[in-house]
Amino acid sequence: MMPNMNGLDLCRLVKARPEFCYVIVMTARDALDDKVNALGDGADDYLVKPVHPRELDARINAGARICRAQRSREAESLIDGLTGLKNRRAFEETLAYEIAKADRAGKPFCLVMGDVNRFKAINDQYGHQVGDKVLAAVGHVMTESLRKVDLLYRLGGDEFAAILPECPRVGGENCLLRLKKAVTSLRVAEMPETVGISLGLAMFDPSSPVPMDVLIREADKEMYLSKREGTTPLQAGTLQR
C-alpha cells in the first residue's frame, strides 16, 4: 500500500535483477489472495502486521541462512574441482566484464590461451590420475607466474586461459615467457619428461574494440600456431574490427 509503487511492484522489480535476493513482505493485508499473489510475484516470506520483533528476527535470520547457502552454491558453480581455478563460466563472465571495463577506461588488456602439449599421450601412457596431477601442477605454476591482478581459468580438458587486466602487448609477451618457462620446467614424479604448453596471446584495444568471441578466436589461433611451430608467439598483433 505504498504510494507511487506498491510492495508487489517493488518485489517484482527486485526479483527481476540477476543477483539472488530474499524478499520478506510485511503488510497489514491478511487475505488469502494477497498472500498467494505476493508469493506468486517472488516473495519468499509473508508476514501480517503486527509482527513481534522476535519473530521478525527469526524470519530474517532464516532468510540470511538461505542467502548464504545460495551464494555458496553460486561460488562453487564457478570453480573447477580438479585445479581449484575458476571455470569456463566464470571466464566468460569475467572476460565480458573486462571488455566493458577496458572500453570505459580506454586501457588495453591481454588474453592468453594455453593448451598442455601431448596431454592425450600423457593420459594414455601414464594414466588419468597422472594426467590430473599434471593439470593441477600446471594450474599451480601458472598462478605463481602471474601478477596478483591477473586471473587464471581452466576451461576444460587441458585448456587454460588467463586474463591480464590493464596489460599492454609488451606486458602480455613477457607474461607468455614467464608462463612458458614455469610450465616447461615442471616435473611430475611419475613422468620422466617435463611438461610442455602451447600459448597464444591477443590484446584487446579499446580504440578498436572487437566482440568477445573474436578476441578468444585470435588468442586460440596464436595458440595453435605455437603448437604447430613448437614456439610461443610473441608478435600477436592488435586486433582490428
Side-chain angles (χ1 to χ4, degrees):
M1 295 181 287
M2 299 185 299
N4 302 321
M5 179 187 296
N6 67 38
L8 296 189
D9 290 337
L10 177 60
C11 180
R12 283 191 291 269
L13 283 174
V14 170
K15 283 294 188 175
R17 295 174 61 85
E19 301 88 354
F20 176 79
C21 56
Y22 190 92
V23 175
I24 301 173
V25 172
M26 188 167 64
T27 176
R29 294 181 178 272
D30 62 355
L32 178 61
D33 284 347
D34 293 323
K35 297 176 183 178
V36 170
N37 290 337
L39 295 171
D41 283 332
D44 298 287
D45 202 351
Y46 192 98
L47 296 175
V48 178
K49 298 177 183 177
V51 179
H52 194 283
R54 288 181 60 194
E55 181 181 2
L56 181 58
D57 278 347
R59 301 278 186 149
I60 291 173
N61 288 335
R65 288 196 300 271
I66 292 172
C67 289
R68 286 194 295 269
Q70 177 67 20
R71 285 196 296 269
S72 178
R73 285 192 296 270
E74 289 177 351
E76 289 173 1
S77 73
L78 299 175
I79 298 296
D80 171 56
L82 176 62
T83 61
L85 300 174
K86 296 290 183 70
N87 60 19
R88 179 180 290 274
R89 177 185 161 197
F91 165 72
E92 291 175 350
E93 290 179 359
T94 306
L95 185 57
Y97 169 79
E98 288 296 331
I99 287 173
K101 187 176 77 171
D103 268 335
R104 290 194 305 271
K107 296 181 179 179
F109 74 91
C110 285
L111 171 65
V112 177
M113 301 294 285
D115 189 272
V116 178
N117 295 341
R118 298 179 58 255
F119 186 68
K120 183 179 183 303
I122 291 172
N123 277 335
D124 291 344
Q125 186 171 353
Y126 302 107
H128 288 275
Q129 287 186 331
V130 174
D132 288 349
K133 287 184 179 180
V134 168
L135 293 176
V138 168
H140 176 72
V141 298
M142 289 181 73
T143 300
E144 293 295 309
S145 302
L146 295 172
R147 303 173 302 172
K148 291 185 182 299
V149 297
D150 296 333
L151 306 161
L152 183 65
Y153 306 83
R154 181 190 174 208
L155 304 186
D158 59 341
E159 294 181 305
F160 293 83
I163 298 174
L164 317 179
E166 296 189 16
C167 179
R169 188 174 65 198
V170 64
E173 292 172 351
N174 290 334
C175 178
L176 251 63
L177 291 174
R178 293 196 307 272
L179 292 173
K180 185 80 170 179
K181 181 179 179 180
V183 176
T184 53
S185 63
L186 175 63
R187 286 191 175 275
V188 175
E190 294 84 352
M191 288 173 49
E193 67 267 37
T194 58
V195 179
I197 192 167
S198 298
L199 298 167
L201 174 70
M203 188 186 79
F204 180 85
D205 183 357
S207 67
S208 184
V210 296
M212 184 170 73
D213 61 329
V214 175
L215 185 68
I216 294 173
R217 190 161 60 244
E218 183 67 16
D220 266 337
K221 183 177 73 175
E222 295 293 334
M223 181 188 72
Y224 286 113
L225 178 63
S226 169
K227 188 176 288 289
R228 286 197 302 271
E229 296 181 351
T231 60
T232 298
L234 294 182
Q235 302 301 322
T238 299
L239 299 182
Q240 302 297 321
R241 186 182 294 276

